[in-house]
Amino acid sequence: LGLANTLKSRADLLYRTGQLPQALGLYTQAEFLFRQQQDYLGLANTLKSRADLLYRVGNHQRAEKLYIQAETLYRQEGENLGLADTLKNRAFLYLDSNDNAQALALLFQALHLYESEQEPWGIALTCALLSKLCPLFEKQAHQAPAFEQRAREIAETLPPNQKEMILSILDNED
C-alpha cells in the first residue's frame, strides 16, 4: 500500500500545481495498485481524484463514470464523507449540463451525509448551493431561504477562505 499511497499523494500534488497529464498518469498507476491490493477506500479516493481532474479538463462523461464507481466503493466501505464529496462533485456535472433536477437530488443526498458526519464546511457549501437551486423547482422553492440562512450562519464559524466562498455563492445573483 505504501507505493499506491505515495503515487496518489504525488498525483494530488501534481494536480494542485496544474501538471494534469502527469497527475492523470500517477492516478492510473495508483488505481491499478489499489485494485491489486483490494484497498477499496484507497481505490475510491483515487477514482474520485481522477474524476475531479477529468471534470476540470472537460471530460465530463469519463468523470461521471469514475464518480459512480467511487460512490459504490464509498458506500461499500461506509465512508460517508467521501461519498458526500463525490455526490456533491457529481452534482456539478449535472449543473453544467443544465440537469438541475439530478443535481438537486444529489445535493440533498450529500447534505444528509454531511449532517450525519457533522461536517460544517460540507453542510454550509451544500446549503448554499441548494439555496440557489431550490427556487427553480416549485416543490422546493420554499426551502431556499432556510438553506441560505443556515449556510450564512455556518459560514460565520468557518475559516476566512471557506466563509468567503460560501458568501460568494450566496451573494451571486446569477
Side-chain angles (χ1 to χ4, degrees):
L1 287 178
L3 179 56
N5 285 321
T6 299
L7 290 170
K8 179 172 181 318
S9 295
R10 285 188 57 214
D12 290 342
L13 179 61
L14 291 168
Y15 176 52
R16 283 193 296 276
T17 60
Q19 299 173 62
L20 304 184
Q22 298 93 326
L24 192 56
L26 291 180
Y27 283 137
T28 302
Q29 291 176 47
E31 178 186 338
F32 174 79
L33 292 173
F34 283 126
R35 279 188 198 282
Q36 191 176 51
Q37 297 164 0
Q38 299 181 354
D39 179 348
Y40 299 116
L41 187 54
L43 178 58
N45 290 331
T46 303
L47 291 171
K48 181 193 167 294
S49 295
R50 206 168 121 216
D52 291 343
L53 187 154
L54 291 168
Y55 171 74
R56 180 174 168 184
V57 299
N59 194 334
H60 293 181
Q61 286 184 329
R62 281 186 57 207
E64 181 180 22
K65 288 177 183 176
L66 294 175
Y67 282 137
I68 290 169
Q69 289 177 40
E71 288 169 26
T72 300
L73 292 168
Y74 283 129
R75 280 188 175 91
Q76 175 184 310
E77 296 297 307
E79 175 49 48
N80 286 343
L81 284 179
L83 178 57
D85 287 341
T86 305
L87 291 167
K88 174 186 51 70
N89 289 3
R90 190 156 64 101
F92 282 109
L93 287 173
Y94 291 115
L95 289 172
D96 286 349
S97 64
N98 291 316
D99 187 346
N100 295 331
Q102 190 68 16
L104 185 76
L106 291 172
L107 289 171
F108 274 117
Q109 289 177 53
L111 179 60
H112 174 73
L113 292 165
Y114 284 130
E115 290 171 336
S116 74
E117 296 296 319
Q118 300 179 1
E119 169 52 45
W121 162 245
I123 295 169
L125 179 58
T126 307
C127 283
L129 295 168
L130 286 168
S131 78
K132 296 298 186 177
L133 202 50
C134 282
L136 304 177
F137 298 89
E138 187 177 333
K139 290 183 179 180
Q140 284 81 22
H142 70 281
Q143 294 176 290
F147 283 129
E148 180 177 349
Q149 179 180 352
R150 187 171 182 204
R152 286 187 188 282
E153 288 171 359
I154 295 171
E156 292 302 320
T157 69
L158 297 173
N161 61 328
Q162 291 178 347
K163 175 182 175 181
E164 186 177 311
M165 184 180 287
I166 299 299
L167 295 179
S168 72
I169 292 168
L170 294 173
D171 297 334
N172 185 351
E173 295 301 320
D174 290 340

